[in-house]
Amino acid sequence: MKNSLGSLSSFTLLGLVFAVVFMTGYYLSQSSYAATVLLDDNFNSENGGAEALNYAFVGNWAVSDGTVDLIGNGGTFDFLPGNGLYVDLDGSTNNAGKMTSKTFDLESCNYELQFDLAGNQRNGAIESVDVSVGSLFSESFSLNENDPFTTITRPISVVSPTSAQIIFAGFGVDNIGLLLDDVKFTKLDCSKPVAGELLSLDTSALFVSGISSSAIWMVPTLAGIAGAGVYYIRTRVNNKEN
Ligand SMILES: [Ca+2]
Ligand SMILES: [Ca+2]
Ligand SMILES: [Ca+2]
Ligand SMILES: [Ca+2]
């Protein structure tokens, strides 16, 4: 049974495997990082706390492709009191808006996106929004009229460093849209493997990539050896299956 590392002795191969095991143990035992909040926006202090139709944010968000309304906090359009200000994703120009966040520079790590959505609270329509984070995450959500604010939490995995914006793209042309509040974007414990790694030998490329970001000092000397070791294991498994 030949493989590409067939010329190496069993003893050498055992050493390579040991190196991988050692590195994995080191990687998993590193002291944990505190979670870092990258964005935590409840909209309550926008516009001095007052409602504003077709609102133009300054700072965290820009609105394009239509408009959104800033409503609530005891104002004329406070359909769900007790939530301070929040956003009606279909503003007052008969063209629902697209909210795009500032740009986040993301290192290889696990992140979490959280936000609250509620139904339009005004007519019987089901309203929808497309939510995305760069090319890392994309999902559509639809809610019924009377759905209360519901917290949605999604993991975002970054395998290689990138930059991304969070986008909430509303649908509709009747000035009555989904309600959005409490957007939170958090960087989680970077010492843990990014989701998708270590799940199977087929993800070895991702695994090595993850190590590179958290144990950068070992890369010049050991990453190549670890890659060879993981490759050997995978090759051996493949051979057994053939
Ligand atoms: Ca709020
Ligand atoms: Ca509106
Ligand atoms: Ca639009
Ligand atoms: Ca609508």
Side-chain angles (χ1 to χ4, degrees):
M1 190 180 294
K2 277 281 190 180
N3 60 52
S4 59
L5 297 178
S7 60
L8 297 177
S9 71
S10 296
F11 184 79
T12 304
L13 290 169
L14 189 63
L16 290 176
V17 172
F18 183 82
V20 173
V21 171
F22 167 77
M23 285 190 65
T24 304
Y26 171 82
Y27 180 54
L28 296 177
S29 67
Q30 285 189 5
S31 58
S32 60
Y33 294 57
T36 304
V37 176
L38 304 179
L39 176 76
D40 188 0
D41 199 343
N42 61 19
F43 306 115
N44 294 347
S45 60
E46 295 285 344
N47 194 40
E51 291 182 326
L53 303 183
N54 306 319
Y55 184 64
F57 293 89
V58 176
N60 287 343
W61 303 96
V63 179
S64 60
D65 188 27
T67 57
V68 304
D69 293 329
L70 182 69
I71 59 174
N73 199 28
T76 307
F77 307 103
D78 192 1
F79 306 114
L80 292 172
N83 295 291
L85 290 170
Y86 42 93
V87 175
D88 173 2
L89 288 167
D90 194 344
S92 299
T93 57
N94 296 306
N95 182 0
K98 179 169 106 174
M99 287 178 60
T100 302
S101 77
K102 60 188 178 184
T103 300
F104 298 96
D105 292 324
L106 307 175
E107 62 174 309
S108 299
C109 192
N110 295 303
Y111 296 79
E112 184 180 271
L113 176 66
Q114 190 172 84
F115 50 93
D116 290 359
L117 290 177
N120 71 35
Q121 313 296 315
R122 283 158 286 177
N123 63 27
I126 296 172
E127 306 284 357
S128 300
V129 61
D130 281 349
V131 183
S132 61
V133 180
S135 59
L136 302 165
F137 168 82
S138 178
E139 188 173 347
S140 296
F141 299 88
S142 296
L143 281 80
N144 295 310
E145 175 188 0
N146 294 318
D147 289 341
F149 271 122
T150 305
T151 300
I152 294 159
T153 305
R154 291 291 184 271
I156 309 287
S157 297
V158 177
V159 173
S160 54
T162 186
S163 58
Q165 296 168 309
I166 303 167
I167 293 179
F168 292 91
F171 290 97
V173 293
D174 64 356
N175 297 342
I176 295 175
L178 273 185
L179 305 181
L180 170 70
D181 201 2
D182 292 331
V183 181
K184 195 168 181 177
F185 190 44
T186 307
K187 182 166 81 171
L188 302 178
D189 180 355
C190 294
S191 72
K192 292 180 178 171
V194 173
E197 297 174 4
L198 296 177
L199 296 180
S200 78
L201 292 171
D202 288 337
T203 63
S204 57
L206 297 177
F207 170 56
V208 172
S209 165
I211 284 181
S212 301
S213 68
S214 288
I216 193 72
W217 60 275
M218 301 181 83
V219 170
T221 51
L222 287 179
I225 295 175
V230 172
Y231 179 78
Y232 167 71
I233 296 170
R234 188 169 61 179
T235 302
R236 200 175 56 169
V237 170
N238 287 342
N239 286 343
K240 279 181 180 174
E241 289 169 352
N242 286 342

